[in-house]
């Protein structure tokens, strides 16, 4: 067995590895946006189990990227789909961020009531509107007045003819 290296031997092996040059790291942060006008909330997405989250994310990303350029960074792909911490399943909504406010408005217009599949029609709204709705006081909400009931005419009255004239016409015509 060989003896462990001495301090001088170890220092000689690391010579040039350490530097006295001061570090001056320059972080590369994305541009800070003061507003959320480029963000869109998409609701009524399918609640996918953990095994299908990646596939659903890919489908949603492909759909929303057709509308405009997504705001992507090294850590953010432009689409965020929150998941349940215990099961890993999606929660049925997603946050989308575009590079421009015009793309976000176009996304809201084109994705609202979009038939995602036979069971899910997407609801899209600007993120600022979602914040307004979340902060809405219960006293501000006014339940809409239901439309008055109007009875529709009975289209089967001819079947209830006591003289049974409809049967006579069919039989002897």
């Amino acid at each position: 067995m060989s003896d462990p290296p001495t301090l001088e031997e170890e220092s000689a092996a690391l010579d040039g590895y350490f530097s006295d040059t001061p570090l001056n790291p320059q972080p590369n942060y994305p541009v800070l946006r003061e507003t959320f006008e480029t963000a869109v909330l998409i609701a009524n997405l399918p609640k996918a189990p953990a095994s299908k989250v990646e596939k659903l994310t890919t489908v949603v990303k492909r759909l929303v990227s057709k509308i405009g350029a997504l705001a992507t960074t090294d850590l953010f792909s432009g689409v965020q789909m929150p998941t349940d911490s215990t099961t890993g399943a999606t929660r049925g909504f997603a946050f989308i961020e575009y590079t421009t406010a015009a793309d976000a408005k176009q996304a809201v217009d084109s994705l609202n009531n979009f038939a995602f599949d036979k069971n899910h029609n997407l609801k899209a709204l600007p993120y600022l509107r979602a914040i307004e709705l979340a902060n809405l006081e219960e006293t501000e909400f006014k339940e809409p007045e239901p439309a008055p009931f109007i009875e529709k005419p009975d289209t089967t009255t001819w079947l209830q003819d006591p003289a049974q004239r409809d049967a006579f016409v069919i039989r002897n015509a």
Side-chain angles (χ1 to χ4, degrees), residues 118-130:
K118 67 179 183 178
N119 296 327
H120 297 92
N121 284 341
L122 301 181
K123 301 295 180 197
L125 64 151
Y127 183 72
L128 294 173
R129 177 67 179 142

Side-chain angles (χ1 to χ4, degrees), residues 82-103:
T83 57
D84 189 345
S85 60
T86 57
T87 63
T90 60
R91 294 185 178 236
F93 63 95
F95 298 103
I96 313 296
E97 186 174 1
Y98 288 95
T99 54
T100 64
D103 287 343

